[in-house]
Amino acid sequence: MEQFSEPRIFEKIRLFDELSRKQGKRVSKNAPGFLVASIREDYSSTKAVQTQTRTHVATTVGKALEPSKAEKAHSKEAEQALQQFEIFWNGLTDAEQSAFDLEALSRADKFSAKQYDSNREGKGSLFKAARLRILMSPFRERELKNH
């Protein structure tokens, strides 16, 4: 039984990447912890920013905000990208999948490669998130070249 859906994991990886680019203090302080918490607690970009801010400024906890139109659009884009990747992936032979996997892993960032390696045995949520992140990067590059 999978605890978290692939679209949810993919969305949290995108959020993690976005906040990492913005040099979010919570992300940089404990990147693996933040990624795990964002998946488990289903952070939205608004919630993640609020969570980061709470560590520096006292905030009033209020009613959860509805996702903005931009967040909903990002979620749809993430789901569409995942569907496109799945079509691509399922069109590959086992040998082509293995070759793509090895190439992607050789080009992966250190954080993702570490999460992939350390969680490979259990093949849990962190492994799946890291693997998806690793595979999506060269897939996106490939898609950009083809368009």
Side-chain angles (χ1 to χ4, degrees):
M1 178 173 95
E2 291 187 14
Q3 190 173 3
F4 304 107
S5 69
E6 285 187 17
R8 179 173 173 166
I9 291 170
F10 181 72
E11 179 184 347
K12 301 319 167 199
I13 291 170
R14 182 201 52 78
L15 172 64
F16 175 84
D17 289 343
E18 179 183 318
L19 291 175
S20 293
R21 280 192 300 276
K22 292 179 182 178
Q23 303 296 320
K25 290 184 181 186
R26 184 156 184 219
V27 171
S28 63
K29 195 178 229 182
N30 183 2
F34 182 85
L35 181 57
V36 170
S38 72
I39 294 168
R40 285 184 181 152
E41 297 174 28
D42 197 19
Y43 288 2
S44 65
S45 59
T46 303
K47 185 175 180 179
V49 170
Q50 289 173 345
T51 301
Q52 284 187 302
T53 304
R54 274 190 217 118
T55 62
H56 303 290
V57 179
T59 59
T60 304
V61 177
K63 190 176 181 181
L65 299 173
E66 286 291 316
S68 70
K69 288 181 183 178
E71 289 172 325
K72 287 179 183 177
H74 272 310
S75 182
K76 274 191 173 184
E77 287 172 16
E79 193 169 324
Q80 288 173 344
L82 182 59
Q83 288 172 349
Q84 290 171 345
F85 174 75
E86 287 175 349
I87 291 168
F88 161 77
W89 187 255
N90 292 331
L92 298 177
T93 66
D94 289 344
E96 290 170 328
Q97 286 179 354
S98 293
F100 191 88
D101 208 4
L102 287 172
E103 174 65 23
L105 186 56
S106 73
R107 296 173 35 194
D109 63 273
K110 289 180 183 179
F111 172 76
S112 297
K114 182 177 179 183
Q115 292 304 313
Y116 178 96
D117 286 336
S118 63
N119 293 289
R120 186 183 332 193
E121 294 294 316
K123 295 195 187 245
S125 297
L126 271 179
F127 170 79
K128 290 176 184 176
R131 184 167 186 263
L132 185 59
R133 180 178 176 167
I134 288 168
L135 293 174
M136 287 300 292
S137 182
F139 173 72
R140 285 188 199 117
E141 290 173 13
R142 183 181 172 280
E143 289 297 299
L144 287 173
K145 286 179 185 176
N146 292 335
H147 287 91

